[in-house]
């Protein structure tokens, strides 16, 4: 009986170790995706160039075949670029932009990001129709939850197989003991076996705890939120194809706390004369694949403005457009667009993604506290140096200016000027 129990315990603990090891690998893969979303996704995608180059196949290009050089680049891009012609070429190609340094990312975390990127790249871009417009019929999105469901099913199957094998082992042991004339005992029922109960409790505690914490952390966040607006407005057509500046419509972003949703009068500045969509930027599609009549959407603007295109006059019967707000922050969080866009010189794409390539806008970043703090820890402020004047907003930090001139430091981050102080963002 003692040997029987020892065998059962060894088998159970082996199964538990295998299960936890597999679960740990899954968590590591998810960590790579999470780190990518928090730190990289605002400027990089896997399959296409954004503010920075596409990351798919990055380990086969330039100096990145040497993983050590990749670590050095991520930790301090400016220093690495000073002696590397490949990254100097990238800077020129992408309009003089230099990647933000991430000195706090460990080599293990960088490896997790690269593993996630390479795995996604090998799986191929989402969408079954090659070259089809986003949202067009025939395209298919890959649901990130599919792999989690498959993993859960496989784990359940393995657990059932392990229990069956344990029961078979117990019966064989009983038959062997009876044949050799050794005293045999009836096996303890599963629901009364303390070893089984303990191990199952631990498994449920680890797995259940992980998903409960993950769900709790995500409460109130709306990443990928993409509501359908009352009037179909394509940023791809306006900001991308027609190169309209973001600040033309969202003027508050430069001088105020809020970016502001433009009034219909701003739309009419152009659409008094543009009454039809010619389709020069291609056909328009909603996310469900239905085609959009651009000219009909312009007529909705006329109705909201109370404009009669036939008589070229206002009727006085306009109505407010009930736009659906996408990006929301908790009431206890203070955020100023002017502080970031004007003083900090932060590009719109840093928080809102590749907006000039979107038709229907969706929320890219999770806008969590951790996401903001990571940005403040790594983003450098424009202190000037080497003959450059820099942003005069930061001229009050004389100590840091002197340290840069004396060579004691090469840059200043938002963290250095109080960007992690609680009262900066919370009332």
């Amino acid at each position: 009986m003692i040997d029987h129990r020892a065998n059962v315990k060894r088998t159970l603990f082996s199964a538990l170790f295998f299960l936890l090891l597999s679960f740990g690998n899954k968590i590591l893969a998810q960590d790579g995706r999470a780190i990518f979303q928090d730190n990289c996704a605002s400027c990089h995608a896997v399959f296409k160039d954004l503010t920075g180059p596409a990351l798919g196949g990055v380990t086969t290009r330039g100096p990145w075949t040497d993983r050590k050089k990749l670590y050095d680049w991520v930790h301090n891009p400016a220093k690495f670029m000073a002696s590397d012609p490949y990254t100097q070429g990238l800077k020129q190609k992408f309009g003089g932009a230099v990647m933000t340094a991430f000195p706090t990312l460990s080599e293990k975390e960088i490896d997790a990001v690269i593993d996630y990127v390479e795995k996604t790249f090998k799986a191929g871009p989402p969408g079954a129709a090659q070259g089809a417009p986003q949202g067009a019929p025939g395209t298919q999105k890959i649901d990130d939850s599919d792999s989690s469901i498959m993993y859960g099913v496989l784990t359940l199957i393995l657990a059932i197989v392990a229990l069956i094998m344990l029961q078979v082992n117990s019966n064989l042991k009983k038959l062997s003991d009876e044949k050799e004339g050794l005293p045999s005992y009836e096996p303890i029922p599963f629901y009364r076996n303390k070893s089984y109960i303990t191990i199952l409790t631990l498994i449920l505690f680890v797995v259940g705890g992980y998903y409960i914490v993950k769900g709790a952390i995500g409460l109130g966040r709306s990443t990928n939120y993409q509501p359908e607006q009352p009037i179909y407005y394509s940023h791809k057509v306006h900001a991308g194809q027609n190169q309209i500046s973001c600040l033309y419509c969202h003027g508050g972003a430069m001088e105020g706390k809020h970016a502001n949703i433009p009034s219909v009068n701003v739309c009419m500045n152009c659409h008094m004369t543009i009454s039809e969509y010619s389709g020069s930027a291609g056909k328009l599609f909603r996310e469900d694949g239905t085609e959009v009549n651009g000219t009909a959407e312009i007529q909705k603007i006329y109705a909201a403005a109370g404009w009669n295109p036939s008589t070229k006059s206002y009727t006085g019967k306009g109505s407010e457009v009930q736009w659906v707000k996408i990006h929301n922050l908790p009431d206890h969080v203070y955020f100023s667009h002017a502080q970031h866009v004007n003083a900090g010189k932060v590009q719109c794409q840093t928080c809102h993604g590749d907006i000039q390539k979107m038709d229907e806008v969706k929320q890219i970043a999770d806008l969590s506290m951790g996401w903001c703090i990571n940005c403040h820890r790594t983003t450098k402020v424009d202190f000037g140096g080497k003959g450059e004047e820099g942003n005069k907003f930061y001229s009050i930090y004389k100590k840091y200016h002197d340290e840069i001139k004396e060579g004691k430091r090469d840059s200043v981050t938002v963290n250095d000027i109080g960007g992690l102080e609680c009262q900066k963002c919370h009332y």
Side-chain angles (χ1 to χ4, degrees), residues 201-218:
T201 301
L202 288 174
I203 293 174
L204 290 175
F205 179 79
V206 172
V207 177
Y210 169 75
Y211 283 106
I212 289 173
V213 171
K214 182 180 178 182
I217 290 174

Side-chain angles (χ1 to χ4, degrees), residues 126-142 285-289:
Q130 186 69 22
Q134 183 180 5
T139 60
Q140 180 181 3
K141 288 189 173 182
I142 295 177
F285 295 93
R286 298 190 187 277
E287 280 298 301
D288 60 5

Side-chain angles (χ1 to χ4, degrees), residues 267-302:
C267 304
M268 289 301 298
N269 289 339
C270 296
H271 285 288
M272 274 188 179
T273 56
I274 302 174
S275 59
E276 296 181 354
Y277 176 67
S278 63
S280 58
K283 292 183 178 180
L284 303 174
F285 295 93
R286 298 190 187 277
E287 280 298 301
D288 60 5
T290 57
E291 187 174 349
V292 176
N293 185 331
T295 301
E297 298 301 312
I298 295 175
Q299 296 300 318
K300 293 180 182 179
I301 297 175
Y302 292 161

Side-chain angles (χ1 to χ4, degrees), residues 28 192 312 318:
L28 181 61
R192 291 175 56 191
K312 303 289 184 181

Side-chain angles (χ1 to χ4, degrees), residues 149-280:
I149 295 174
M150 180 62 69
Y151 173 77
V153 171
L154 290 176
T155 301
L156 181 61
I157 292 173
L158 287 174
I160 293 173
V161 170
L163 290 175
I164 293 174
M165 294 303 295
L166 287 171
Q167 190 64 38
V168 171
N169 180 70
S170 176
N171 291 333
L172 290 175
K173 176 67 175 175
K174 181 180 177 182
L175 292 172
S176 176
D177 289 344
E178 289 177 352
K179 185 175 181 179
E180 296 179 4
L182 299 175
S184 62
Y185 303 91
E186 288 295 325
I188 300 174
F190 175 82
Y191 58 88
R192 291 175 56 191
N193 190 303
K194 293 181 180 180
S195 297
Y196 288 178
I197 294 173
T198 300
I199 292 175
L200 283 178
T201 301
L202 288 174
I203 293 174
L204 290 175
F205 179 79
V206 172
V207 177
Y210 169 75
Y211 283 106
I212 289 173
V213 171
K214 182 180 178 182
I217 290 174
L219 288 176
R221 300 182 186 173
S222 51
T223 307
N224 294 323
Y225 177 50
Q226 191 176 33
E228 185 174 320
Q229 301 290 353
I231 299 177
Y232 184 89
Y233 178 89
S234 171
H235 278 75
K236 182 178 179 180
V237 172
H238 291 78
Q241 178 76 11
N242 295 315
Q243 297 291 301
I244 298 175
S245 170
C246 300
L247 296 175
Y248 180 78
C249 300
H250 303 286
M254 181 62 74
E255 299 177 351
K257 176 182 177 182
H258 300 287
N260 299 338
I261 296 175
S263 67
V264 71
N265 290 332
V266 175
C267 304
M268 289 301 298
N269 289 339
C270 296
H271 285 288
M272 274 188 179
T273 56
I274 302 174
S275 59
E276 296 181 354
Y277 176 67
S278 63
S280 58

Side-chain angles (χ1 to χ4, degrees), residues 15 22 29 32 54 56 58 72 83 101 117 133 148 151 163 172 210 257 275 281 326 354 361 367 403 413:
S22 301
V58 65
D72 294 340
S83 59
V117 168
S148 298
Y151 173 77
L163 290 175
L172 290 175
Y210 169 75
K257 176 182 177 182
S275 59
I326 299 176
D354 207 6
V361 174
L367 303 182
E403 289 180 356
T413 66

